[in-house]
Amino acid sequence: MTISGALSNAMSGLRAASSGAEVVSSNISNALTPGYARRILSLSAQSTGGVGGVQINGILRIVDAGLASDRRNAEAEQVNANSRAQFYTRFESLIGTPDDPASLSARLAGFESSLISAASRPDAPERLTTSVGAARDLAASIREASAGVQAARGQADQNIAGMVDELNLALEQLATLNAQITSLQVQGGSIATLQDQRQQVVDRIAALVPVREVPRDNGQIALYSTGGAVLIDGTAAVIGFEPVNLVTPYLSLADSTLSGLTINGQSVRTDSARGALRGGALGGQFAVRDEHGVAAQAQLDTLARDLIERFEDPAVDPTLTAGDAGLFTDNGAALDPLDQLGLASRLSLNAAVDPQQGGEAWRLRDGINAATQGNVGDATLLQNLSQVLNDPRPVAGGGFGGQAFGAMSLAATLASDIGVERTSAEQVLSFATSRLTELTERQLADGVDSDAEIQRLMLIEQAYAANARVIETVDEMMQTLLRM
C-alpha cells in the first residue's frame, strides 16, 4: 500500500467515525422524542481507482412498519372504546345506582312510600303534599337524565367539529411533508428528520381515524382509512362537517337535522358498523351522538311513557275520562302514543295537584278533575295509585323486548341494562388499553437503546483513534523522508 493510499484510507475512516458519532449523539438525545426512529450509519468498503477506505452510503432510519401500524390502530381502538365507556359511565351517574338516595330507583321508591303513607292517613294534608313533592321530584329526575343525555350528544357534536378541523389540518401537513421529502430526496439530502415529522402527523391522524399506510414513489406515502376512504394519495382529501349549536332529542342524523361527514363533497356513512371513518376517536364521537345517546333517550322516553300511561287510566282515577291527562303529563297534556320521541324531556306533574303550579294537593286523594274536596277519610284513590305503580304492564320500545314490568322493576331493569353496558364498555377499554400498552412497549424496545448506543460510541471512538494513529504514522514517515 502506498503512503497516499494509507492516508486516504485513514481520512475516510475519520469521516465515517465523525458521522457515526453524530448519528449516535442524535439517537441518544432523541431517545424520548415522539415519532423519532433510531438511525444507523450505512457504510461499505470503498474501492474506486485502486483506492480503499470507507464509503458512507447514507443514514438509515430503522422502523418496523408492521409494528408501527399495529400500535397506531391499537391507539385508535383505545380512544374509540374510551368514548363509549365515558358515555355509559355518565349515563349511569344520571340514572344513579340503587344505593344512591338521589337515583331514579330511589325517587320511584320514595314516591311509592309516600303514597302508602298518605293512604294510611288520607286526611293529613302534609302527607298529600309530601306525595306531590315526591312525584314532582321523580318527573324532574327523568327530565334531568334526558337533559344529561342530550348534553353528552351535544358535546360529541362539538368534539366531532374539532376533530374534523384537526384531521383536515393534519392531512394538509402530510401532503406538504410528502412534497418536501420528494424534493429533498431528489437533491440527495437526508430525509430522516422529515420522515420523523411525517410519522408524528400520521400518528395524529391514526388516533382520529384508523389508517393503512401505503408507500408511493419518491418517498411519498398514501393513507387509506380501514373503512375504505382515501385520505391522501397525492392530494389530501377534504373532510366536511357542520356542527349545531344545541342538540335536542328531536335532532338526528337519520332525518338530516344533524350533519354527517363528507369527503371531497361526497357524503359517507358514519355508523360504527360500516362508517368510512369508523373505529377511532372520530367514530367514537359519532357513536355517542347517533347511537348510544339515541338509544339512551329511547329508554328514558319509554320509562316516561309507562309512567304517564299508568296514571291516566280512568279505572285508576274515576274523575278522568278518555283523553284526559293523569298525574303525570306530556307538558301538561295527555299522552300522544305517536309522539314518544323526547317524552322524557317533557315529563311533568299535572298542575291540578301541584301547589307550585296553582293546584291543590288534595286532588291526589279525590281525583285529578275533582272540583271540590270529597271525603277526607277515603283512601281508595291513593291505594289505586300505589297499586298501579307496581302492576305489570307490557312495555314497548326502548329495547325492553315488549315484556311486562311494574314501574319499579322497569326502573331497576333500566339501571341494570346501563350497568351491563358500562361494564362491557370498560372491559373492551381495558383490553384495548392493555394491547396499546404492550405494542407501545414493543415499539419503544425497537427504538433507541441508550446502553447500546453508548457501546457503539465507544467502538466509534476506538476506530477514530486507530485512524488518527495511521495519519500520525504517515506524518512521521513523511517527515523522515523529507529529512533524508
Side-chain angles (χ1 to χ4, degrees):
M1 178 183 293
T2 64
I3 293 178
S4 62
L7 184 61
S8 176
N9 289 351
M11 291 298 294
S12 67
L14 285 179
R15 286 193 295 270
S18 177
S19 297
E22 290 180 5
V23 170
V24 170
S25 175
S26 177
N27 284 341
I28 294 174
S29 62
N30 290 283
L32 300 178
T33 301
Y36 181 83
R38 178 170 59 91
R39 274 84 150 144
I40 62 173
L41 188 66
S42 176
L43 303 174
S44 63
Q46 179 176 276
S47 57
T48 304
V51 178
V54 180
Q55 178 175 319
I56 299 176
N57 300 321
I59 298 174
L60 300 182
R61 185 171 177 267
I62 308 302
V63 175
D64 186 333
L67 180 59
S69 177
D70 288 345
R71 201 272 309 159
R72 287 197 300 264
N73 288 337
E75 182 178 4
E77 180 184 352
Q78 193 269 344
V79 294
N80 183 275
N82 189 51
S83 298
R84 179 184 172 211
Q86 286 185 339
F87 173 80
Y88 279 107
T89 298
R90 181 173 182 176
F91 190 25
E92 187 176 47
S93 70
L94 291 170
I95 296 297
T97 54
D99 58 342
D100 179 1
S103 69
L104 182 59
S105 297
R107 298 280 192 192
L108 201 50
F111 176 49
E112 180 186 26
S113 177
S114 69
L115 287 175
I116 294 173
S117 176
S120 68
R121 282 289 307 279
D123 60 321
E126 67 279 3
R127 298 196 180 192
L128 296 175
T129 301
T130 298
S131 293
V132 170
R136 186 191 308 116
D137 291 343
L138 175 59
S141 68
I142 295 176
R143 290 197 307 272
E144 289 167 3
S146 175
V149 168
Q150 297 312 311
R153 294 182 70 210
Q155 185 60 58
D157 191 75
Q158 295 302 313
N159 291 343
I160 292 169
M163 290 177 182
V164 167
D165 289 343
E166 183 180 353
L167 180 57
N168 281 324
L169 177 60
L171 290 173
E172 291 175 2
Q173 292 173 342
L174 186 55
T176 300
L177 287 168
N178 266 342
Q180 291 175 345
I181 287 172
T182 296
S183 176
L184 191 57
Q185 184 171 272
V186 169
Q187 297 172 21
S190 174
I191 61 174
T193 299
L194 289 177
Q195 287 177 317
D196 284 344
Q197 294 177 12
R198 184 173 68 183
Q199 187 62 58
Q200 293 179 31
V201 174
V202 172
D203 287 347
R204 283 166 45 205
I205 293 172
L208 299 172
V209 180
V211 295
R212 291 184 294 108
E213 181 179 322
V214 180
R216 291 288 186 253
D217 294 338
N218 301 316
Q220 296 201 8
I221 61 170
L223 286 185
Y224 296 83
S225 74
T226 55
V230 181
L231 297 179
I232 182 169
D233 195 349
T235 58
V238 177
I239 315 300
F241 177 78
E242 294 295 332
V244 297
N245 292 326
L246 179 66
V247 175
T248 69
Y250 318 108
L251 301 184
S252 69
L253 182 63
D255 61 12
S256 300
T257 49
L258 289 178
S259 173
L261 287 177
T262 61
I263 300 180
N264 295 328
Q266 299 296 316
S267 296
V268 295
R269 295 184 62 158
T270 58
D271 57 281
S272 57
R274 298 178 58 189
L277 304 183
R278 65 182 182 271
L282 186 58
Q285 294 302 309
F286 269 107
V288 168
R289 193 195 69 172
D290 300 327
E291 297 174 28
H292 308 320
V294 170
Q297 183 64 49
Q299 289 177 309
L300 291 173
D301 290 343
T302 299
L303 183 65
R305 174 173 178 166
D306 177 73
L307 202 57
I308 292 174
E309 286 181 326
R310 287 179 184 275
F311 295 101
E312 66 177 18
D313 186 353
V316 175
D317 183 350
T319 67
L320 298 176
T321 59
D324 287 344
L327 181 61
F328 295 99
T329 71
D330 180 355
N331 261 350
L335 174 68
D336 180 354
L338 301 180
D339 188 21
Q340 183 170 319
L341 180 62
L343 183 60
S345 66
R346 306 190 302 269
L347 182 66
S348 62
L349 185 63
N350 197 314
V353 302
D354 189 1
Q356 292 186 2
Q357 302 180 66
E360 298 289 348
W362 54 260
R363 287 195 176 93
L364 192 65
R365 177 194 63 215
D366 298 324
I368 296 296
N369 290 335
T372 59
Q373 292 194 52
N375 180 3
V376 296
D378 186 358
T380 303
L381 180 53
L382 292 170
Q383 292 169 348
N384 287 346
L385 295 177
S386 177
Q387 180 178 349
V388 78
L389 195 61
N390 289 301
D391 283 347
R393 295 171 56 93
V395 176
F400 294 106
Q403 301 179 49
F405 294 94
M408 287 292 295
S409 61
L410 181 60
T413 299
L414 173 59
S416 175
D417 288 349
I418 297 169
V420 168
E421 288 287 354
R422 177 190 55 77
T423 301
S424 173
E426 288 179 346
Q427 289 174 345
V428 172
L429 175 60
S430 177
F431 174 79
T433 301
S434 298
R435 180 168 178 261
L436 174 60
T437 300
E438 176 64 24
L439 289 171
T440 300
E441 289 177 353
R442 288 176 56 189
Q443 191 173 31
L444 289 174
D446 193 48
V448 177
D449 183 338
S450 298
D451 292 340
E453 295 298 327
I454 294 297
Q455 293 176 6
R456 189 174 293 112
L457 188 60
M458 293 174 64
L459 292 176
I460 291 172
E461 181 183 6
Q462 293 174 8
Y464 188 94
N467 283 287
R469 180 56 182 161
V470 170
I471 294 174
E472 183 181 347
T473 301
V474 169
D475 180 62
E476 291 175 355
M477 292 174 63
M478 292 295 296
Q479 292 296 331
T480 299
L481 290 173
L482 289 174
R483 286 195 298 269
M484 291 179 64

